[in-house]
Amino acid sequence: NLRAEMAEEKAAELDNKVRIGAVLRARDISLAALNNNSRDVSRIKNASRLRVDFTLSANELASPGNKALYVRITSPDGYVLTTEEMPTFEFEGERLSYSAMREVDYQNQDLEVGIYYNSTGFAAGTYQIQLYCEGRLIGQTDVAMR
């Protein structure tokens, strides 16, 4: 029955649209270099922690609740900053190492989030930031740090 097949196709297409529409997005991503007291430092080489700030965008279609957010910070020399435990998460069938993660309670409204990464010996240059949630890349940006 052609009509039933078309209806099924339409339903699948709509389902796919809703799924795509339900994906969370991170915007206004920034990187701050901080000292031990979480005060801003002007030069990243003097930092003892980094903070990635962003807004998890409001989305009516997304399912509310606890979300694990993973941040990957890639240093100017191309290495992903990570901890001694070298934690990983799954992305498209691969295990990716990450810098830090945080769980947030998302209620379909704009949510301001800050995620900290503690370390030292940061170099000036361009850092790449990628944010992941629910197995998807939800935002990325490059930030030049002095």
Side-chain angles (χ1 to χ4, degrees):
N1 182 336
L2 192 61
R3 186 174 285 171
E5 263 179 41
M6 277 177 71
E8 215 166 274
E9 219 168 89
K10 269 233 168 6
E13 200 179 301
L14 190 67
D15 185 47
N16 202 28
K17 273 208 177 91
V18 170
R19 252 209 312 276
I20 290 165
V23 174
L24 292 177
R25 295 269 171 243
R27 64 169 207 271
D28 305 332
I29 305 166
S30 65
L31 184 64
L34 308 170
N35 65 15
N36 284 330
N37 305 325
S38 291
R39 293 225 160 82
D40 285 299
V41 292
S42 60
R43 302 224 173 264
I44 195 165
K45 69 172 167 48
N46 300 327
S48 52
R49 59 196 323 209
L50 303 179
R51 189 184 68 229
V52 175
D53 292 306
F54 58 96
T55 302
L56 211 47
S57 292
N59 185 343
E60 297 283 309
L61 293 175
S63 54
N66 275 345
K67 308 284 180 189
L69 301 169
Y70 297 92
V71 61
R72 269 168 71 93
I73 305 169
T74 305
S75 67
D77 57 11
Y79 291 100
V80 174
L81 303 180
T82 188
T83 56
E84 271 175 37
E85 297 82 53
M86 292 193 67
T88 61
F89 68 101
E90 194 162 312
F91 178 67
E92 294 181 353
E94 279 187 75
R95 304 298 305 179
L96 292 186
S97 59
Y98 63 91
S99 309
M101 72 85 68
R102 181 176 166 193
E103 280 201 10
V104 297
D105 181 19
Y106 178 74
Q107 293 301 330
N108 306 88
Q109 308 289 326
D110 270 6
L111 183 64
E112 306 289 325
V113 184
I115 302 180
Y116 290 91
Y117 171 73
N118 296 325
S119 190
T120 54
F122 298 112
T126 301
Y127 286 74
Q128 184 187 45
I129 298 164
Q130 294 171 315
L131 291 158
Y132 294 83
C133 182
E134 297 176 331
R136 289 178 185 268
L137 176 65
I138 63 166
Q140 62 179 342
T141 194
D142 291 341
V143 185
M145 302 296 282
R146 295 176 48 178

